[in-house]
Amino acid sequence: MREPAFWYRPRSFKSHLLRPLGALYGAIAERRMMRKGLDAGIPVLCVGNYHVGGAGKTPTVLALTKLLRSLGETPVVLSRGYGGHLQGPVMVDRERHSAADVGDEPLMMVREVPVAVARDRISGVALARSQGATVILMDDGFQNPRLQKDASLIVIDGARGIGNGRVFPAGPLRAPLTMQMSRTDALVLIGDGQAADGIAAEITARGKPVLRARLKPEAASVAQLFGKSVLAFAGIGDPERFFRTLRASGIDVARTRPFADHHMFSKAEIDAMVDEAGREQLTLVTTEKDLARLRGMAGLAADIVPFAVTLEFDDPASLRRFVSERLFKARESRFAVR
């Protein structure tokens, strides 16, 4: 779906009219989040959002993958496979699966880390453990009560924040903010914006860490586009963030085409952009996640440049310390029960 514009306005008549539905949805979500989850038997680190849409979960999961491996762990990502039709449990295979099968994010992440897709999180845990996982990285699922989380890291874009702060459908929140903050173990604040400073201050007051980070374009991607004018398109939670990143990297963004999150592009849409780029001598560029949905569409490799980014933390030592402590506590508590 495409986010309603009123979600990110301070006052809106539409949002006001939808508040009763938001209150009902929020009450159900809050009650659901209070259920006790199943112990996976190994540490579970969850990367989630307070709100619907994207904020940088996938780069955060990949950054945690590298950190966990440096700690001697064997992480496996557990994903619901949003946008794919397979129920799972299934290990994602780039040679066999498409985004229509398992979703775009799992197909993108599997290049770096094994990914188990399962609508039923419990069966997904069993599959991940059968692959030798010592830690499960949950991609999303913060509001899902099925699994006990040993740490929940919440990702917020500093420039966007959480919009009007109301619960769906009156706003973008998946559950009441106070409830969600009470179950947050660390906040990952991406970028230099100030829209989430109030939440960061509250999390700090609760004695939880705020880990600041930023998306860094890979040098090869920047070099490939140096000196060129581009037509940039993206079907992610916040396409404007992608366009801002391109411009901040010194790339001349002549045209932009935003699409809804997880948009499944038609051949006609791609052909139209290829034609436009050709007429105006522009280079087509998109995100790695978008390109994952386009795999298999004939002739794309030569026409579209993927723009790769990685997440870098301002204080990587603090992140390492937080993760190490959480893993130790998770294992200590399980050992004590035996």
Side-chain angles (χ1 to χ4, degrees):
M1 63 171 286
R2 192 181 293 273
E3 296 177 348
F6 70 79
W7 280 1
Y8 287 88
R9 293 174 186 157
R11 295 188 180 185
S12 165
F13 184 63
K14 290 181 180 179
S15 177
H16 182 73
L17 287 178
L18 290 169
R19 286 184 71 180
L21 283 177
L24 176 61
Y25 185 96
I28 294 171
E30 187 170 38
R31 189 175 301 114
R32 186 169 180 258
M33 286 183 69
M34 293 176 67
R35 297 176 189 167
K36 184 175 177 60
L38 182 76
D39 182 358
I42 58 175
V44 175
L45 307 182
C46 176
V47 179
N49 294 135
Y50 290 148
H51 58 292
V52 300
K57 290 191 302 295
T58 300
T60 303
V61 169
L62 293 177
L64 286 171
T65 294
K66 293 180 181 178
L67 172 58
L68 288 167
R69 284 176 173 158
S70 75
L71 293 171
E73 303 289 346
T74 304
V76 172
V77 171
L78 176 59
S79 172
R80 183 177 176 272
Y82 183 85
H85 72 269
L86 292 181
Q87 299 290 314
V90 61
M91 295 302 298
V92 177
D93 183 341
R94 280 178 63 85
E95 299 303 316
R96 292 193 302 117
H97 296 136
S98 68
D101 297 323
V102 296
D104 50 13
E105 290 163 348
L107 202 62
M108 172 186 163
M109 289 188 291
V110 77
R111 293 180 304 176
E112 307 289 338
V113 59
V115 181
V117 162
R119 299 296 166 86
D120 175 15
R121 309 275 180 166
I122 305 304
S123 62
V125 166
L127 178 58
R129 294 195 63 174
S130 76
Q131 302 298 307
T134 62
V135 178
I136 288 175
L137 273 174
M138 282 186 69
D139 178 31
D140 214 352
F142 174 59
Q143 293 82 10
N144 188 304
R146 291 278 283 161
L147 279 183
Q148 175 184 314
K149 289 103 175 167
D150 294 290
S152 291
L153 297 89
I154 300 303
V155 183
I156 297 183
D157 185 300
R160 295 187 87 206
I162 57 168
N164 62 16
R166 292 178 175 173
V167 177
F168 181 88
L173 292 184
R174 298 180 176 186
L177 183 59
T178 301
M179 170 63 168
Q180 296 197 84
M181 286 196 294
S182 71
R183 292 181 172 244
T184 299
D185 297 301
L187 186 70
V188 178
L189 192 56
I190 298 179
D192 296 321
Q194 300 177 333
D197 284 358
I199 293 174
E202 177 64 26
I203 292 296
T204 299
R206 292 169 180 258
K208 305 296 175 63
V210 174
L211 305 165
R212 295 185 178 270
R214 60 202 70 251
L215 292 170
K216 181 179 179 181
E218 292 189 1
S221 291
V222 176
Q224 193 172 1
L225 296 171
F226 181 76
K228 299 176 181 178
S229 294
V230 305
L231 189 165
F233 69 97
I236 57 176
D238 182 13
E240 291 300 326
R241 182 181 64 198
F242 172 58
F243 305 147
R244 287 195 303 269
T245 301
L246 288 171
R247 293 186 179 104
S249 302
I251 295 165
D252 177 20
V253 181
R255 300 279 188 276
T256 61
R257 296 288 182 273
F259 294 88
D261 197 14
H262 301 283
H263 179 73
M264 295 303 291
F265 297 97
S266 68
K267 189 173 186 305
E269 287 172 329
I270 297 301
D271 286 345
M273 288 190 287
V274 169
D275 289 344
E276 181 180 357
R279 288 194 308 272
E280 302 191 25
Q281 296 185 312
L282 304 176
T283 299
L284 272 176
V285 60
T286 192
T287 70
E288 290 188 299
K289 191 171 86 167
D290 284 293
L291 199 63
R293 293 198 299 280
L294 295 172
R295 286 180 72 245
M297 197 175 287
L300 284 179
D303 293 321
I304 302 176
V305 175
F307 191 76
V309 298
T310 56
L311 189 69
E312 289 194 351
F313 284 81
D314 292 359
D315 186 357
S318 291
L319 174 66
R320 188 181 184 91
R321 183 167 55 252
F322 170 79
V323 171
S324 297
E325 289 174 354
R326 285 288 167 166
L327 293 178
F328 177 80
K329 289 179 181 178
R331 289 177 173 130
E332 184 183 45
S333 65
R334 288 179 174 90
F335 181 79
V337 171
R338 294 176 184 175

